[in-house]
Amino acid sequence: METARILIMIAAYAITIIMVILTLPLLRGRARPDRARITEPAPGTGTTTYEYPVQRPGARLLIGLVILFGCGVILLVLLALPVIDDLRAAGIIAASALLCVGYCCYTLAIYRNTSLIDAPTLIAGTDWRGRAVQIPHQDIVSFRNTGQRSSLVSDQLGRKLQLNMNWFSAPNLALYLLRATAEGRFPGKRPGDPRELGRGLNRVQSALNFQCAKPLRQVLLQGPAANPAAFRRDPTAPEGTGWTGPEYEAWVGSVNTIFWS
């Protein structure tokens, strides 16, 4: 039994060391600028470069990280003490210690590398491994809630960006998704049904942890998806796009004004 306990202890320490070694490259050599330059399409055929603030997880994340890391260290020390002579207890302690250390490594990589830029025409960010993803709003084909205050945005090329709304805010993305839903770009199961439009707006709120004010919701429910006959549309344009005319421009102006008021 003593030999088995020692083997469990050695395995736990070895896996801990491996996890730490694998995490170290994710924490090195990357600057964390407060602002970033983003090139966006300009009216016509040109592009324009703007600077936007870079959002990152707050320092509160480190508080939980320190607590969890301390728990992992205590469990590893406890595992080495001769007072643990039950193999089942030793296995549970080892598994708990590895869970704490593994989650700490993952969370530290998140704190160091994750970022988000919420620009007027696109969403950009980096994941926990530091890989950059940039998705123009007009290329978004799906969005969904993946957990508590977490969502996944995907584009037509298969690129995906995970958003944790505990750390980030994305009002520009929220405005686009609300308006695009009200224009019929994300029609749901029953296109043209006002109730389906309401459910679509609820999906945006749920995905981005955003509460749509009642005046804004009322204007959105009067949009092209629910009242296509009230707006002009280019019949050759893809579904939910191609809306034109003074009625559409006035509706868009109302949505923008109420959203930012």
Side-chain angles (χ1 to χ4, degrees):
M1 182 176 292
E2 181 65 20
T3 301
R5 189 185 69 83
I6 292 175
L7 289 176
I8 291 174
M9 180 184 68
I10 292 174
Y13 281 126
I15 295 174
T16 297
I17 292 171
I18 291 172
M19 287 192 294
V20 172
I21 291 175
L22 292 177
T23 304
L24 288 177
L26 300 174
L27 310 178
R28 294 177 179 171
R30 290 187 177 90
R32 300 183 72 204
D34 294 328
R35 302 185 69 82
R37 298 177 67 84
I38 296 292
T39 300
E40 298 179 86
T45 58
T47 59
T48 306
T49 300
Y50 297 98
E51 272 198 356
Y52 294 106
V54 179
Q55 301 180 54
R56 300 186 185 278
R60 290 182 300 176
L61 186 64
L62 291 179
I63 299 176
L65 180 65
V66 170
I67 295 173
L68 200 60
F69 183 76
C71 292
V73 170
I74 292 173
L75 290 171
L76 288 173
V77 171
L78 184 62
L79 186 64
L81 298 177
V83 295
I84 306 297
D85 56 1
D86 182 71
L87 285 182
R88 184 176 180 181
I92 292 174
I93 291 174
S96 300
L98 291 175
L99 183 63
C100 289
V101 174
Y103 190 73
C104 280
C105 292
Y106 173 64
T107 306
L108 187 59
I110 286 176
Y111 175 77
R112 185 68 180 82
N113 297 322
T114 304
S115 67
L116 180 71
I117 299 172
D118 179 46
T121 63
L122 59 85
I123 191 86
T126 51
D127 63 11
W128 63 278
R129 285 174 286 188
R131 296 184 303 181
V133 179
Q134 182 170 305
I135 300 179
H137 289 168
Q138 62 184 7
D139 291 343
I140 295 174
V141 294
S142 68
F143 60 93
R144 59 186 176 90
N145 192 330
T146 57
Q148 186 177 14
R149 296 189 176 185
S150 180
S151 61
L152 184 69
V153 177
S154 306
D155 74 353
Q156 56 195 3
L157 299 177
R159 294 175 297 188
K160 298 178 180 180
L161 186 60
Q162 186 83 33
L163 306 177
N164 189 318
M165 306 315 294
N166 287 304
W167 308 325
F168 305 131
S169 63
N172 286 306
L173 177 62
L175 174 59
Y176 170 77
L177 292 179
L178 288 171
R179 203 178 72 192
T181 299
E183 291 178 5
R185 183 149 185 204
F186 306 105
K189 298 179 180 179
R190 296 187 180 91
D193 187 342
R195 291 174 298 179
E196 186 64 34
L197 174 55
R199 286 189 284 268
L201 298 178
N202 290 339
R203 285 193 293 270
V204 176
Q205 294 181 95
S206 176
L208 298 183
N209 190 35
F210 169 80
Q211 187 61 42
C212 186
K214 187 175 180 180
L216 176 60
R217 189 180 184 89
Q218 290 175 340
V219 174
L220 290 168
L221 290 173
Q222 298 170 6
N227 301 286
F231 301 89
R232 281 183 283 177
R233 178 177 176 272
D234 180 358
T236 63
E239 183 181 19
T241 64
W243 301 103
T244 60
E247 297 85 359
Y248 173 71
E249 296 298 332
W251 175 78
V252 170
S254 297
V255 170
N256 292 338
T257 299
I258 295 174
F259 183 90
W260 294 114
S261 62

